[in-house]
Structures are given as C-alpha cells and as structure tokens.
mmCIF file of all heavy atoms in Angstrom:
data_model
loop_
_atom_site.group_PDB
_atom_site.id
_atom_site.type_symbol
_atom_site.label_atom_id
_atom_site.label_comp_id
_atom_site.label_asym_id
_atom_site.label_seq_id
_atom_site.Cartn_x
_atom_site.Cartn_y
_atom_site.Cartn_z
ATOM 1 N N PHE G 1 -69.920 -47.884 -22.785
ATOM 2 C CA PHE G 1 -70.409 -48.131 -21.421
ATOM 3 C C PHE G 1 -71.198 -49.437 -21.371
ATOM 4 O O PHE G 1 -70.937 -50.297 -20.527
ATOM 5 C CB PHE G 1 -71.276 -46.952 -20.974
ATOM 6 C CG PHE G 1 -71.611 -46.951 -19.516
ATOM 7 C CD1 PHE G 1 -70.745 -46.397 -18.588
ATOM 8 C CD2 PHE G 1 -72.812 -47.470 -19.060
ATOM 9 C CE1 PHE G 1 -71.056 -46.371 -17.237
ATOM 10 C CE2 PHE G 1 -73.132 -47.453 -17.720
ATOM 11 C CZ PHE G 1 -72.252 -46.905 -16.802
ATOM 12 N N ASN G 2 -72.141 -49.600 -22.297
ATOM 13 C CA ASN G 2 -72.965 -50.818 -22.317
ATOM 14 C C ASN G 2 -72.133 -52.058 -22.627
ATOM 15 O O ASN G 2 -72.386 -53.138 -22.076
ATOM 16 C CB ASN G 2 -74.110 -50.662 -23.320
ATOM 17 C CG ASN G 2 -75.130 -49.640 -22.868
ATOM 18 O OD1 ASN G 2 -75.265 -49.354 -21.675
ATOM 19 N ND2 ASN G 2 -75.843 -49.050 -23.808
ATOM 20 N N GLN G 3 -71.148 -51.915 -23.490
ATOM 21 C CA GLN G 3 -70.243 -53.026 -23.814
ATOM 22 C C GLN G 3 -69.462 -53.450 -22.571
ATOM 23 O O GLN G 3 -69.275 -54.644 -22.316
ATOM 24 C CB GLN G 3 -69.290 -52.545 -24.917
ATOM 25 C CG GLN G 3 -68.502 -53.605 -25.595
ATOM 26 C CD GLN G 3 -67.783 -53.011 -26.809
ATOM 27 O OE1 GLN G 3 -68.432 -52.561 -27.750
ATOM 28 N NE2 GLN G 3 -66.474 -53.008 -26.764
ATOM 29 N N ALA G 4 -69.007 -52.480 -21.786
ATOM 30 C CA ALA G 4 -68.268 -52.785 -20.554
ATOM 31 C C ALA G 4 -69.171 -53.480 -19.534
ATOM 32 O O ALA G 4 -68.746 -54.428 -18.863
ATOM 33 C CB ALA G 4 -67.676 -51.509 -19.962
ATOM 34 N N ILE G 5 -70.406 -53.040 -19.421
ATOM 35 C CA ILE G 5 -71.356 -53.671 -18.492
ATOM 36 C C ILE G 5 -71.616 -55.108 -18.929
ATOM 37 O O ILE G 5 -71.606 -56.036 -18.121
ATOM 38 C CB ILE G 5 -72.673 -52.862 -18.412
ATOM 39 C CG1 ILE G 5 -72.396 -51.451 -17.877
ATOM 40 C CG2 ILE G 5 -73.706 -53.587 -17.552
ATOM 41 C CD1 ILE G 5 -71.626 -51.370 -16.583
ATOM 42 N N ALA G 6 -71.813 -55.311 -20.221
ATOM 43 C CA ALA G 6 -72.046 -56.669 -20.736
ATOM 44 C C ALA G 6 -70.833 -57.568 -20.501
ATOM 45 O O ALA G 6 -70.977 -58.779 -20.335
ATOM 46 C CB ALA G 6 -72.383 -56.614 -22.230
ATOM 47 N N ALA G 7 -69.642 -56.977 -20.445
ATOM 48 C CA ALA G 7 -68.406 -57.747 -20.227
ATOM 49 C C ALA G 7 -68.140 -58.033 -18.751
ATOM 50 O O ALA G 7 -67.219 -58.763 -18.422
ATOM 51 C CB ALA G 7 -67.215 -57.009 -20.831
ATOM 52 N N GLY G 8 -68.948 -57.443 -17.852
ATOM 53 C CA GLY G 8 -68.801 -57.753 -16.436
ATOM 54 C C GLY G 8 -68.547 -56.577 -15.518
ATOM 55 O O GLY G 8 -68.362 -56.756 -14.317
ATOM 56 N N ALA G 9 -68.543 -55.353 -16.047
ATOM 57 C CA ALA G 9 -68.361 -54.177 -15.191
ATOM 58 C C ALA G 9 -69.638 -53.903 -14.396
ATOM 59 O O ALA G 9 -70.725 -54.352 -14.768
ATOM 60 C CB ALA G 9 -68.006 -52.957 -16.032
ATOM 61 N N ILE G 10 -69.501 -53.151 -13.325
ATOM 62 C CA ILE G 10 -70.626 -52.776 -12.462
ATOM 63 C C ILE G 10 -70.858 -51.274 -12.602
ATOM 64 O O ILE G 10 -69.918 -50.485 -12.534
ATOM 65 C CB ILE G 10 -70.321 -53.123 -10.989
ATOM 66 C CG1 ILE G 10 -70.160 -54.631 -10.839
ATOM 67 C CG2 ILE G 10 -71.400 -52.582 -10.056
ATOM 68 C CD1 ILE G 10 -69.613 -55.052 -9.492
ATOM 69 N N VAL G 11 -72.118 -50.882 -12.787
ATOM 70 C CA VAL G 11 -72.466 -49.465 -12.916
ATOM 71 C C VAL G 11 -72.294 -48.767 -11.569
ATOM 72 O O VAL G 11 -72.859 -49.202 -10.561
ATOM 73 C CB VAL G 11 -73.926 -49.293 -13.393
ATOM 74 C CG1 VAL G 11 -74.311 -47.820 -13.410
ATOM 75 C CG2 VAL G 11 -74.133 -49.918 -14.758
ATOM 76 N N LEU G 12 -71.513 -47.692 -11.566
ATOM 77 C CA LEU G 12 -71.405 -46.839 -10.386
ATOM 78 C C LEU G 12 -72.317 -45.631 -10.528
ATOM 79 O O LEU G 12 -72.920 -45.183 -9.559
ATOM 80 C CB LEU G 12 -69.955 -46.392 -10.166
ATOM 81 C CG LEU G 12 -68.963 -47.520 -9.897
ATOM 82 C CD1 LEU G 12 -67.541 -46.973 -9.794
ATOM 83 C CD2 LEU G 12 -69.328 -48.273 -8.620
ATOM 84 N N SER G 13 -72.403 -45.090 -11.746
ATOM 85 C CA SER G 13 -73.399 -44.063 -12.065
ATOM 86 C C SER G 13 -73.692 -44.162 -13.557
ATOM 87 O O SER G 13 -72.766 -44.334 -14.367
ATOM 88 C CB SER G 13 -72.934 -42.657 -11.677
ATOM 89 O OG SER G 13 -71.830 -42.247 -12.432
ATOM 90 N N PRO G 14 -74.968 -44.083 -13.926
ATOM 91 C CA PRO G 14 -75.335 -44.264 -15.332
ATOM 92 C C PRO G 14 -74.853 -43.100 -16.192
ATOM 93 O O PRO G 14 -74.510 -42.024 -15.689
ATOM 94 C CB PRO G 14 -76.864 -44.319 -15.288
ATOM 95 C CG PRO G 14 -77.232 -43.595 -14.048
ATOM 96 C CD PRO G 14 -76.113 -43.811 -13.071
ATOM 97 N N VAL G 15 -74.861 -43.322 -17.494
ATOM 98 C CA VAL G 15 -74.473 -42.262 -18.429
ATOM 99 C C VAL G 15 -75.465 -41.111 -18.313
ATOM 100 O O VAL G 15 -76.674 -41.317 -18.366
ATOM 101 C CB VAL G 15 -74.423 -42.797 -19.878
ATOM 102 C CG1 VAL G 15 -74.159 -41.660 -20.861
ATOM 103 C CG2 VAL G 15 -73.368 -43.888 -20.012
ATOM 104 N N THR G 16 -74.933 -39.928 -18.125
ATOM 105 C CA THR G 16 -75.735 -38.721 -17.932
ATOM 106 C C THR G 16 -75.073 -37.571 -18.679
ATOM 107 O O THR G 16 -73.849 -37.489 -18.728
ATOM 108 C CB THR G 16 -75.824 -38.364 -16.428
ATOM 109 O OG1 THR G 16 -76.353 -39.487 -15.716
ATOM 110 C CG2 THR G 16 -76.700 -37.167 -16.175
ATOM 111 N N ASP G 17 -75.886 -36.676 -19.236
ATOM 112 C CA ASP G 17 -75.377 -35.443 -19.829
ATOM 113 C C ASP G 17 -75.354 -34.361 -18.749
ATOM 114 O O ASP G 17 -76.351 -34.166 -18.041
ATOM 115 C CB ASP G 17 -76.262 -34.974 -20.978
ATOM 116 C CG ASP G 17 -76.146 -35.847 -22.214
ATOM 117 O OD1 ASP G 17 -75.268 -36.741 -22.230
ATOM 118 O OD2 ASP G 17 -76.920 -35.639 -23.164
ATOM 119 N N TYR G 18 -74.225 -33.685 -18.645
ATOM 120 C CA TYR G 18 -74.069 -32.626 -17.646
ATOM 121 C C TYR G 18 -74.031 -31.277 -18.333
ATOM 122 O O TYR G 18 -73.502 -31.140 -19.437
ATOM 123 C CB TYR G 18 -72.798 -32.855 -16.821
ATOM 124 C CG TYR G 18 -72.905 -34.076 -15.950
ATOM 125 C CD1 TYR G 18 -72.491 -35.312 -16.414
ATOM 126 C CD2 TYR G 18 -73.456 -33.993 -14.677
ATOM 127 C CE1 TYR G 18 -72.604 -36.448 -15.621
ATOM 128 C CE2 TYR G 18 -73.583 -35.114 -13.878
ATOM 129 C CZ TYR G 18 -73.157 -36.345 -14.361
ATOM 130 O OH TYR G 18 -73.279 -37.467 -13.582
ATOM 131 N N GLU G 19 -74.575 -30.250 -17.651
ATOM 132 C CA GLU G 19 -74.677 -28.912 -18.231
ATOM 133 C C GLU G 19 -73.322 -28.271 -18.521
ATOM 134 O O GLU G 19 -73.224 -27.339 -19.284
ATOM 135 C CB GLU G 19 -75.519 -27.990 -17.330
ATOM 136 C CG GLU G 19 -74.909 -27.686 -15.986
ATOM 137 C CD GLU G 19 -75.186 -28.739 -14.925
ATOM 138 O OE1 GLU G 19 -75.895 -29.729 -15.196
ATOM 139 O OE2 GLU G 19 -74.673 -28.569 -13.811
ATOM 140 N N TYR G 20 -72.258 -28.799 -17.937
ATOM 141 C CA TYR G 20 -70.925 -28.247 -18.191
ATOM 142 C C TYR G 20 -70.282 -28.852 -19.440
ATOM 143 O O TYR G 20 -69.121 -28.577 -19.746
ATOM 144 C CB TYR G 20 -70.012 -28.396 -16.981
ATOM 145 C CG TYR G 20 -69.900 -29.795 -16.419
ATOM 146 C CD1 TYR G 20 -69.035 -30.727 -16.972
ATOM 147 C CD2 TYR G 20 -70.672 -30.172 -15.324
ATOM 148 C CE1 TYR G 20 -68.940 -32.012 -16.461
ATOM 149 C CE2 TYR G 20 -70.576 -31.451 -14.799
ATOM 150 C CZ TYR G 20 -69.714 -32.363 -15.373
ATOM 151 O OH TYR G 20 -69.618 -33.621 -14.859
ATOM 152 N N GLY G 21 -71.043 -29.649 -20.185
ATOM 153 C CA GLY G 21 -70.592 -30.079 -21.494
ATOM 154 C C GLY G 21 -69.998 -31.469 -21.596
ATOM 155 O O GLY G 21 -69.300 -31.763 -22.567
ATOM 156 N N TYR G 22 -70.263 -32.339 -20.631
ATOM 157 C CA TYR G 22 -69.758 -33.710 -20.710
ATOM 158 C C TYR G 22 -70.894 -34.711 -20.596
ATOM 159 O O TYR G 22 -71.849 -34.509 -19.837
ATOM 160 C CB TYR G 22 -68.743 -33.994 -19.588
ATOM 161 C CG TYR G 22 -67.376 -33.471 -19.909
ATOM 162 C CD1 TYR G 22 -67.074 -32.125 -19.722
ATOM 163 C CD2 TYR G 22 -66.392 -34.301 -20.408
ATOM 164 C CE1 TYR G 22 -65.818 -31.633 -20.020
ATOM 165 C CE2 TYR G 22 -65.135 -33.813 -20.705
ATOM 166 C CZ TYR G 22 -64.854 -32.475 -20.514
ATOM 167 O OH TYR G 22 -63.609 -31.993 -20.826
ATOM 168 N N ARG G 23 -70.775 -35.773 -21.353
ATOM 169 C CA ARG G 23 -71.627 -36.957 -21.200
ATOM 170 C C ARG G 23 -70.727 -38.005 -20.579
ATOM 171 O O ARG G 23 -69.646 -38.285 -21.079
ATOM 172 C CB ARG G 23 -72.111 -37.430 -22.573
ATOM 173 C CG ARG G 23 -72.846 -38.765 -22.544
ATOM 174 C CD ARG G 23 -73.435 -39.096 -23.902
ATOM 175 N NE ARG G 23 -74.424 -38.088 -24.224
ATOM 176 C CZ ARG G 23 -74.547 -37.494 -25.413
ATOM 177 N NH1 ARG G 23 -73.741 -37.828 -26.408
ATOM 178 N NH2 ARG G 23 -75.468 -36.583 -25.612
ATOM 179 N N ARG G 24 -71.162 -38.574 -19.451
ATOM 180 C CA ARG G 24 -70.282 -39.513 -18.764
ATOM 181 C C ARG G 24 -71.063 -40.501 -17.918
ATOM 182 O O ARG G 24 -72.156 -40.221 -17.448
ATOM 183 C CB ARG G 24 -69.268 -38.771 -17.905
ATOM 184 C CG ARG G 24 -69.889 -37.805 -16.925
ATOM 185 C CD ARG G 24 -68.885 -37.032 -16.125
ATOM 186 N NE ARG G 24 -68.464 -37.867 -15.011
ATOM 187 C CZ ARG G 24 -67.407 -37.656 -14.269
ATOM 188 N NH1 ARG G 24 -66.631 -36.633 -14.488
ATOM 189 N NH2 ARG G 24 -67.099 -38.450 -13.282
ATOM 190 N N GLY G 25 -70.461 -41.670 -17.757
ATOM 191 C CA GLY G 25 -70.979 -42.699 -16.870
ATOM 192 C C GLY G 25 -69.794 -43.336 -16.167
ATOM 193 O O GLY G 25 -68.688 -43.371 -16.710
ATOM 194 N N GLU G 26 -70.011 -43.816 -14.949
ATOM 195 C CA GLU G 26 -68.926 -44.421 -14.174
ATOM 196 C C GLU G 26 -69.207 -45.891 -13.915
ATOM 197 O O GLU G 26 -70.343 -46.280 -13.664
ATOM 198 C CB GLU G 26 -68.760 -43.693 -12.844
ATOM 199 C CG GLU G 26 -68.335 -42.243 -13.019
ATOM 200 C CD GLU G 26 -68.092 -41.535 -11.709
ATOM 201 O OE1 GLU G 26 -67.552 -42.163 -10.765
ATOM 202 O OE2 GLU G 26 -68.448 -40.350 -11.625
ATOM 203 N N LEU G 27 -68.133 -46.694 -13.978
ATOM 204 C CA LEU G 27 -68.273 -48.122 -13.731
ATOM 205 C C LEU G 27 -67.047 -48.656 -13.010
ATOM 206 O O LEU G 27 -66.020 -47.994 -12.918
ATOM 207 C CB LEU G 27 -68.509 -48.870 -15.048
ATOM 208 C CG LEU G 27 -67.533 -48.656 -16.190
ATOM 209 C CD1 LEU G 27 -66.335 -49.590 -16.081
ATOM 210 C CD2 LEU G 27 -68.249 -48.895 -17.506
ATOM 211 N N LYS G 28 -67.191 -49.864 -12.489
ATOM 212 C CA LYS G 28 -66.090 -50.567 -11.831
ATOM 213 C C LYS G 28 -65.833 -51.840 -12.608
ATOM 214 O O LYS G 28 -66.754 -52.622 -12.859
ATOM 215 C CB LYS G 28 -66.442 -50.874 -10.378
ATOM 216 C CG LYS G 28 -65.327 -51.599 -9.630
ATOM 217 C CD LYS G 28 -65.560 -51.666 -8.126
ATOM 218 C CE LYS G 28 -66.751 -52.471 -7.758
ATOM 219 N NZ LYS G 28 -66.837 -52.750 -6.322
ATOM 220 N N ASP G 29 -64.565 -52.045 -12.998
ATOM 221 C CA ASP G 29 -64.234 -53.257 -13.756
ATOM 222 C C ASP G 29 -64.125 -54.456 -12.814
ATOM 223 O O ASP G 29 -64.160 -54.296 -11.587
ATOM 224 C CB ASP G 29 -62.993 -53.044 -14.630
ATOM 225 C CG ASP G 29 -61.667 -53.011 -13.892
ATOM 226 O OD1 ASP G 29 -61.542 -53.565 -12.782
ATOM 227 O OD2 ASP G 29 -60.707 -52.436 -14.453
ATOM 228 N N PRO G 30 -64.043 -55.671 -13.342
ATOM 229 C CA PRO G 30 -64.014 -56.867 -12.492
ATOM 230 C C PRO G 30 -62.833 -56.935 -11.523
ATOM 231 O O PRO G 30 -62.855 -57.710 -10.577
ATOM 232 C CB PRO G 30 -63.947 -58.021 -13.498
ATOM 233 C CG PRO G 30 -64.543 -57.476 -14.745
ATOM 234 C CD PRO G 30 -64.136 -56.035 -14.761
ATOM 235 N N PHE G 31 -61.806 -56.109 -11.746
ATOM 236 C CA PHE G 31 -60.638 -56.105 -10.862
ATOM 237 C C PHE G 31 -60.725 -54.995 -9.817
ATOM 238 O O PHE G 31 -59.826 -54.831 -9.000
ATOM 239 C CB PHE G 31 -59.356 -55.979 -11.681
ATOM 240 C CG PHE G 31 -59.232 -57.085 -12.698
ATOM 241 C CD1 PHE G 31 -59.485 -56.845 -14.038
ATOM 242 C CD2 PHE G 31 -58.915 -58.376 -12.305
ATOM 243 C CE1 PHE G 31 -59.401 -57.868 -14.968
ATOM 244 C CE2 PHE G 31 -58.835 -59.411 -13.228
ATOM 245 C CZ PHE G 31 -59.079 -59.153 -14.563
ATOM 246 N N GLY G 32 -61.815 -54.198 -9.866
ATOM 247 C CA GLY G 32 -62.050 -53.162 -8.870
ATOM 248 C C GLY G 32 -61.639 -51.758 -9.277
ATOM 249 O O GLY G 32 -61.810 -50.821 -8.503
ATOM 250 N N HIS G 33 -61.121 -51.587 -10.491
ATOM 251 C CA HIS G 33 -60.709 -50.257 -10.944
ATOM 252 C C HIS G 33 -61.924 -49.461 -11.426
ATOM 253 O O HIS G 33 -62.803 -49.999 -12.091
ATOM 254 C CB HIS G 33 -59.679 -50.360 -12.075
ATOM 255 C CG HIS G 33 -58.429 -51.055 -11.647
ATOM 256 N ND1 HIS G 33 -57.498 -50.468 -10.827
ATOM 257 C CD2 HIS G 33 -57.955 -52.289 -11.913
ATOM 258 C CE1 HIS G 33 -56.504 -51.305 -10.610
ATOM 259 N NE2 HIS G 33 -56.764 -52.428 -11.252
ATOM 260 N N HIS G 34 -61.940 -48.162 -11.075
ATOM 261 C CA HIS G 34 -63.038 -47.282 -11.486
ATOM 262 C C HIS G 34 -62.697 -46.633 -12.823
ATOM 263 O O HIS G 34 -61.572 -46.171 -13.034
ATOM 264 C CB HIS G 34 -63.270 -46.190 -10.450
ATOM 265 C CG HIS G 34 -63.839 -46.710 -9.176
ATOM 266 N ND1 HIS G 34 -64.324 -45.892 -8.192
ATOM 267 C CD2 HIS G 34 -64.015 -47.967 -8.710
ATOM 268 C CE1 HIS G 34 -64.762 -46.626 -7.176
ATOM 269 N NE2 HIS G 34 -64.574 -47.890 -7.477
ATOM 270 N N TRP G 35 -63.698 -46.573 -13.710
ATOM 271 C CA TRP G 35 -63.550 -45.975 -15.033
ATOM 272 C C TRP G 35 -64.648 -44.940 -15.220
ATOM 273 O O TRP G 35 -65.795 -45.152 -14.823
ATOM 274 C CB TRP G 35 -63.706 -47.025 -16.121
ATOM 275 C CG TRP G 35 -62.611 -48.034 -16.174
ATOM 276 C CD1 TRP G 35 -62.414 -49.086 -15.315
ATOM 277 C CD2 TRP G 35 -61.551 -48.089 -17.119
ATOM 278 N NE1 TRP G 35 -61.297 -49.779 -15.683
ATOM 279 C CE2 TRP G 35 -60.741 -49.198 -16.789
ATOM 280 C CE3 TRP G 35 -61.203 -47.306 -18.222
ATOM 281 C CZ2 TRP G 35 -59.615 -49.544 -17.523
ATOM 282 C CZ3 TRP G 35 -60.085 -47.651 -18.956
ATOM 283 C CH2 TRP G 35 -59.304 -48.761 -18.600
#
C-alpha cells in the first residue's frame, strides 16, 4: 500500500483491520483504477 502511494496512487481508505478477518486499504492508481 505504501509503495503504491509513493509511486503516485491516491488513498481512498487507509489500511484497516476488520473484525471479519481482513486487513485492507483502498487506493486509486494514476489512471483512475481502484485497487
């Protein structure tokens, strides 16, 4: 996640641990795709 941000992605939601068993963060790449 941090590597992608350093490369130019935009944070949509920071990395968070969820009680249903996933650690996840959302970002948008420079071309507009959500990851």
Side-chain angles (χ1 to χ4, degrees):
F1 192 85
N2 291 336
Q3 193 171 296
I5 298 308
I10 297 169
V11 175
L12 298 176
S13 65
V15 174
T16 304
D17 288 353
Y18 292 91
E19 66 276 358
Y20 53 82
Y22 279 81
R23 172 173 297 136
R24 54 183 277 165
E26 296 183 38
L27 53 86
K28 180 169 65 169
D29 74 24
F31 303 104
H33 299 286
H34 290 191
W35 292 75

